[in-house]
Amino acid sequence: MFKTVLALTKKELGSYLNSSLAYVIVVPFLVLSFFLYFRTAFVFGEASLRAYFDLLPWFMALLLPALTMSSLTEEKTKKTLELLLAHPLSELEIVCGKFFSVSFFWFLILLTTAPLALPLVLFSKFDTGVLVAQYLAAFLSGLLLISVGLAAGSLYKSQIAAFLTGAFICAVLIFSGMDFVSLSLPQPFGSLVSGLGLNIHYNTLSQGLLDLSDIVYFVFGTIFFLIVAVFNISRDKLSEKGRERRKLYISFSLVIVLGLLLTNLLNGLSLRFDLTESRLYSLSPATKKILNGLDDILTIHLFASPDLPAPTRATLQNIRAILSDYQKDSSKVKVSQYSPQDSNKDAQLAQSEGVRPIQFNTIGSSSYQLQAGYLGLSLRYGTQTQSIPYIQDSQTLEYRISRLIKKLTQKSAKTVDLYAGLANTPQLGNSGLALNNLSQVLSSLYSVESLADLTKISTNRPDLLVAAINSPLDPKQVEGLKSYLDGGGRALLMLDKITTDPSVTIANPQTLNLEDLLKGFGVNLNSNLVYDPSLAESVQFSQGQTTLLLPYPFWIRALPSDPKFPPTTGIESVTLFWPSTLTLTNADGFKDTPILKTSQNGGTLSGSDWAISPDKITNSEISQLFGPLTLGALVQKSNGDNLLVVIMSAELASDRFASPNNQNLSFVSNLADYLTLNSDEIVPVHQSANPSFVFTKPWQPAAITWGLTLGVPLLVSLIGFISVWRRRRGFSRTFNL
């Protein structure tokens, strides 16, 4: 059978490679998909193909039925199917030969999209594992939709009918995973239909998480539709042979039953493989150490509604897998799941443990809807309880759970004093910078106290001072801070050497009165304004009645100076607002290490009265480049003890710019852990955020956009033209005898 299928595959693949119709279908797909991707690829500066692979299933729903529509219908129209069956060929061999040929052609099409990774390779540090997972998800999804196309083609003699039916079934598979479909159906049918949809399995795999239940979905779904194709082209034979018909019915049933059983079994076992380089979906060594140190039973109660929206159900699946990893790693971890919406007893338990129902925004059959539900958990250790009332995403769940476990198990919590300087915007007056989100994040492990006066820091003696300073300190406050640091205190200082006036869009340097103190540690604060066109954050600006999204070079996605620096694990960039540079001199008794930097295109403005409105920034102002500039530094004592971190942006973690799941908050929280905990106790914040593109020339994004959008389709067109021309030339060749 293998040799027969291989011979048929070669024959069919040759017909695709030498057919003008295949290239007529493929080239417009490449042009349109590349164009739509590059419309936004460089707007936000994120080095990722996620936007492209989010679009790809919709293109596949049209492309693959178009490629398969003639595979069987043409055989029926030309009556060559009967001729094939007259040979020692089975219907299964014919279908498999056509399936493998289209699958290999689909693989070649995916290869033509590989140049999309070129800007990632040249201008960023991307995650190879995620890229491999995205292409694997696209290929497996393609196999499923190819089998759908063949099944549709087996029903008709008309290619148009085969295409329309195949595209419709593909669209149904994609739409099945969407909210408005699952919510319009009663439970449990809504959840069942959502699980049969393509999206939830495709998205999980394309994020870099290889779940065997998703592989089972793709494999058994593909086999099912191939059997449908075999059944349809065998109908005449089967009507006369009852035994063969029964064998095919049994095959149908076995595929469906085995697929459902294996999917449910693997969901329960949570057999997953983390393909990401930073191990986003694996428990960290610090978490395992925390679990090994448990002296008592840790009970985790997961509260989840049965009718969650489709995207949230995918989050729930990941939550279950993470909790399963906790349970596997320690025999003292016990996990139970409850459904408060189905049981008053469960609802009372959720309320007593701090988990409340929340409102989900969902898309109903005809409008947006609010849906109440539960998705939270609680941890009980001895007589103590901590809770996460709502789990918005699973990517930071390990970090949150492990910190709560450490808080439950530690004998006494370390203390953090939080100081916020005066707000520098007229809208906020003298209320001070708001650091509520940061306080909430730090409170998951530390005992956090607000500090209104730095003169009291030497009296309080906290384990860590976190200070956002954006206005000059008086001498007494500086002396209090000096006394605290000289006494062995540790501090994380977020500083603004720039004062901005939003009403006139002007920025000026300012003196914080900390300059001499920090110079003693080898850290010099420079009075300049940093810009970086390559790492500019995209910001919305209003121009009349028009809102524009523009790169703003004074808001910089600063890069880690050393990717192996523990606080930057899982964090690709940190946004700094109107930063200044640091100069490090390594004073006696101290070692200074850069931790944040600009790209090679970073530069500074000196002087004063800088125009910071985007419509007033001229190319001449940002044309002088100085190479990577230091924007943050770690100060250690000569014996290696961490003492001080200085970041040149006071609003780095303010509520105005940092939402609860923001990378800036994660970075500051990591720094706090690094300054107060042992290195093997730090649980990294796993973020799926993508690295930034770092272009060295302003023309490079446009060159890549049009070079790939036009170049790849033209190259494929040329290959197709040569293949078709050579074939026709071979047919027209005459021989003289």
Side-chain angles (χ1 to χ4, degrees):
M1 177 180 176
F2 174 77
K3 290 184 178 180
T4 304
V5 171
L6 182 61
L8 285 172
T9 300
K10 289 181 178 179
K11 170 186 171 296
E12 294 292 329
L13 181 61
S15 66
Y16 275 107
L17 294 176
N18 296 313
S19 168
S20 58
L21 178 61
Y23 294 99
V24 168
I25 295 172
V26 171
V27 171
F29 154 72
L30 292 174
V31 172
L32 185 58
S33 63
F34 278 34
F35 173 74
L36 291 177
Y37 166 68
F38 280 118
R39 283 185 64 193
T40 58
F42 302 132
V43 172
F44 297 102
E46 291 188 351
S48 170
L49 294 182
R50 183 62 188 268
Y52 182 80
F53 284 98
D54 284 345
L55 286 171
L56 195 57
W58 300 102
F59 284 107
M60 288 192 290
L62 297 175
L63 172 68
L64 298 179
L67 290 176
T68 57
M69 64 183 182
S70 62
S71 292
L72 292 172
T73 55
E74 197 172 57
E75 301 283 5
K76 292 181 179 181
T77 303
K78 294 180 178 179
K79 299 188 181 299
T80 54
L81 184 60
E82 291 81 358
L83 182 62
L84 283 174
L85 293 174
H87 289 77
L89 296 173
S90 67
E91 292 83 353
L92 178 61
E93 289 172 331
I94 294 172
V95 170
C96 286
K98 293 182 178 295
F99 171 75
F100 288 125
S101 63
V102 183
S103 299
F104 191 79
F105 192 66
W106 169 236
F107 173 75
L108 295 178
I109 293 174
L110 285 179
L111 281 184
T112 63
T113 68
L116 286 173
L118 185 63
L120 274 67
V121 174
L122 296 178
F123 304 109
S124 76
K125 297 180 180 179
F126 67 100
D127 192 319
T128 307
V130 172
L131 185 64
V132 171
Q134 288 170 335
Y135 272 99
L136 179 60
F139 181 68
L140 292 177
S141 300
L143 297 186
L144 174 59
L145 299 186
I146 288 168
S147 67
V148 169
L150 290 174
S154 67
L155 294 170
Y156 307 101
K157 291 184 178 180
S158 167
Q159 294 187 23
I160 300 299
F163 168 74
L164 293 176
T165 302
F168 174 76
I169 298 174
C170 292
V172 168
L173 287 174
I174 295 173
F175 275 113
S176 296
M178 296 188 171
D179 283 358
F180 73 91
V181 174
S182 58
L183 289 176
S184 62
L185 298 173
Q187 294 296 330
F189 298 106
S191 298
L192 178 62
V193 169
S194 177
L196 293 175
L198 178 72
N199 284 357
I200 189 171
H201 306 280
Y202 176 84
N203 290 337
T204 300
L205 182 53
S206 62
Q207 290 170 4
L209 182 61
L210 179 61
D211 193 319
L212 288 187
S213 64
D214 296 327
I215 303 300
V216 167
Y217 168 82
F218 288 119
V219 171
F220 278 86
T222 301
I223 294 174
F224 173 78
F225 284 106
L226 290 179
I227 293 177
V228 171
V230 172
F231 177 81
N232 286 329
I233 66 174
S234 306
R235 276 182 298 183
D236 294 338
K237 182 190 295 186
L238 294 177
S239 62
E240 301 174 358
K241 297 182 179 181
R243 183 178 178 183
E244 295 294 329
R245 185 170 63 251
R246 286 192 297 273
K247 286 171 62 177
L248 204 55
Y249 285 152
I250 292 172
S251 300
F252 262 127
S253 303
L254 284 176
V255 168
I256 295 172
V257 172
L258 283 176
L260 292 174
L261 286 177
L262 278 175
T263 301
N264 290 330
L265 176 63
L266 292 174
N267 276 332
L269 293 177
S270 182
L271 296 176
R272 314 186 312 164
F273 299 93
D274 189 350
L275 301 181
T276 62
E277 291 181 354
S278 54
R279 316 304 296 169
L280 293 177
Y281 306 103
S282 303
L283 295 184
S284 65
T287 291
K288 294 180 179 181
K289 181 179 179 180
I290 292 172
L291 295 178
N292 290 336
L294 292 176
D295 296 326
D296 199 353
I297 298 297
L298 173 69
T299 303
I300 302 178
H301 293 160
L302 174 62
F303 300 97
S305 299
D307 56 346
L308 294 169
T312 312
R313 279 197 291 274
T315 301
L316 176 59
Q317 182 179 343
N318 291 334
I319 293 170
R320 287 171 176 160
I322 292 170
L323 295 181
S324 176
D325 290 343
Y326 274 86
Q327 202 165 11
K328 288 177 185 176
D329 205 77
S330 175
S331 60
K332 293 185 178 180
V333 176
K334 307 298 179 185
V335 179
S336 302
Q337 182 171 337
Y338 299 90
S339 180
Q341 285 186 315
D342 295 337
S343 168
N344 289 332
K345 184 178 179 181
D346 291 352
Q348 292 173 1
L349 178 62
Q351 185 172 5
S352 67
E353 296 191 351
V355 178
R356 306 283 190 273
I358 57 149
Q359 299 291 330
F360 294 97
N361 291 318
T362 58
I363 303 175
S365 57
S366 60
S367 63
Y368 284 96
Q369 298 178 356
L370 288 178
Q371 175 188 350
Y374 290 82
L375 188 59
L377 59 80
S378 66
L379 299 93
R380 182 179 297 172
Y381 187 76
T383 59
Q384 301 181 77
T385 301
Q386 293 285 339
S387 66
I388 302 177
Y390 172 53
I391 305 171
Q392 187 171 1
D393 73 70
S394 58
Q395 289 161 354
T396 59
L397 185 59
E398 180 203 347
Y399 176 77
R400 298 174 70 184
I401 290 177
S402 296
R403 287 172 71 88
L404 289 178
I405 295 174
K406 189 171 181 61
K407 187 173 184 178
L408 287 170
T409 56
Q410 63 187 359
K411 295 180 180 179
S412 60
K414 292 182 179 293
T415 57
V416 173
D417 276 9
L418 201 58
Y419 173 82
L422 296 178
N424 63 356
T425 60
Q427 295 87 339
L428 298 178
N430 293 325
S431 59
L433 288 174
L435 301 175
N436 297 319
N437 290 333
L438 176 60
S439 177
Q440 184 179 355
V441 170
L442 295 176
S443 295
S444 65
L445 181 59
Y446 304 103
S447 175
V448 180
E449 297 289 341
S450 295
L451 184 67
D453 187 354
L454 282 177
T455 59
K456 299 179 180 179
I457 187 68
S458 58
T459 305
N460 293 358
R461 305 301 305 173
D463 293 292
L464 178 67
L465 167 67
V466 178
I469 302 172
N470 63 348
S471 57
L473 299 178
D474 63 50
K476 291 183 179 180
Q477 289 178 308
V478 176
E479 185 60 33
L481 179 58
K482 182 178 185 303
S483 176
Y484 169 72
L485 294 174
D486 290 343
R490 300 179 180 187
L492 166 55
L493 303 181
M494 299 172 285
L495 309 177
D496 269 352
K497 280 288 288 180
I498 302 298
T499 177
T500 60
D501 187 345
S503 61
V504 294
T505 61
I506 294 293
N508 280 287
Q510 66 175 343
T511 300
L512 297 176
N513 297 327
L514 285 172
E515 287 78 2
D516 290 339
L517 172 61
L518 294 178
K519 188 178 294 185
F521 297 105
V523 178
N524 295 292
L525 309 183
N526 299 317
S527 296
N528 52 30
L529 177 60
V530 178
Y531 58 82
D532 193 329
S534 298
L535 298 176
E537 187 69 76
S538 295
V539 182
Q540 286 186 346
F541 290 96
S542 297
Q543 195 173 62
Q545 295 182 344
T546 305
T547 300
L548 303 176
L549 188 65
L550 300 173
Y552 187 54
F554 299 126
W555 287 10
I556 299 171
R557 294 192 305 274
L559 304 174
S561 298
D562 180 4
K564 296 182 179 179
F565 182 54
T568 57
T569 301
I571 295 177
E572 303 295 346
S573 63
V574 179
T575 303
L576 304 184
F577 309 96
W578 301 292
S580 302
T581 60
L582 295 173
T583 302
L584 307 180
T585 59
N586 287 322
D588 290 341
F590 301 101
K591 177 185 177 183
D592 304 328
T593 305
I595 59 176
L596 290 178
K597 65 177 182 179
T598 67
S599 71
Q600 293 284 349
N601 291 338
T604 61
L605 300 180
S606 57
S608 60
D609 293 329
W610 302 302
I612 57 174
S613 177
D615 59 348
K616 295 181 180 178
I617 299 172
T618 64
N619 290 332
S620 60
E621 285 182 304
I622 59 174
S623 60
Q624 187 176 1
L625 306 180
F626 298 92
L629 303 172
T630 301
L631 304 176
L634 166 70
V635 178
Q636 296 172 300
K637 295 181 180 179
S638 55
N639 61 5
D641 289 345
N642 298 322
L643 175 65
L644 178 67
V645 169
V646 179
I647 307 294
M648 297 309 294
S649 180
E651 297 215 57
L652 167 69
S654 70
D655 293 352
R656 189 156 70 116
F657 295 115
S659 61
N661 291 320
N662 185 272
Q663 279 211 103
N664 283 15
L665 283 188
S666 300
F667 175 65
V668 174
S669 179
N670 282 357
L671 287 173
D673 292 347
Y674 189 73
L675 289 169
T676 57
L677 303 176
N678 296 325
S679 58
D680 60 351
E681 296 178 314
I682 301 173
V683 180
V685 182
H686 290 316
Q687 296 273 5
S688 64
N690 300 302
S692 301
F693 283 115
V694 182
F695 296 105
T696 56
K697 304 293 181 182
W699 51 264
Q700 289 171 339
I704 289 172
T705 297
W706 294 110
L708 294 182
T709 302
L710 299 178
V712 173
L714 284 175
L715 180 61
V716 173
S717 300
L718 180 62
I719 294 173
F721 174 79
I722 293 174
S723 298
V724 174
W725 176 75
R726 289 181 61 185
R727 186 185 184 207
R728 290 181 177 177
R729 186 180 175 214
F731 285 157
S732 61
R733 184 180 301 167
T734 58
F735 297 93
N736 296 320
L737 298 177

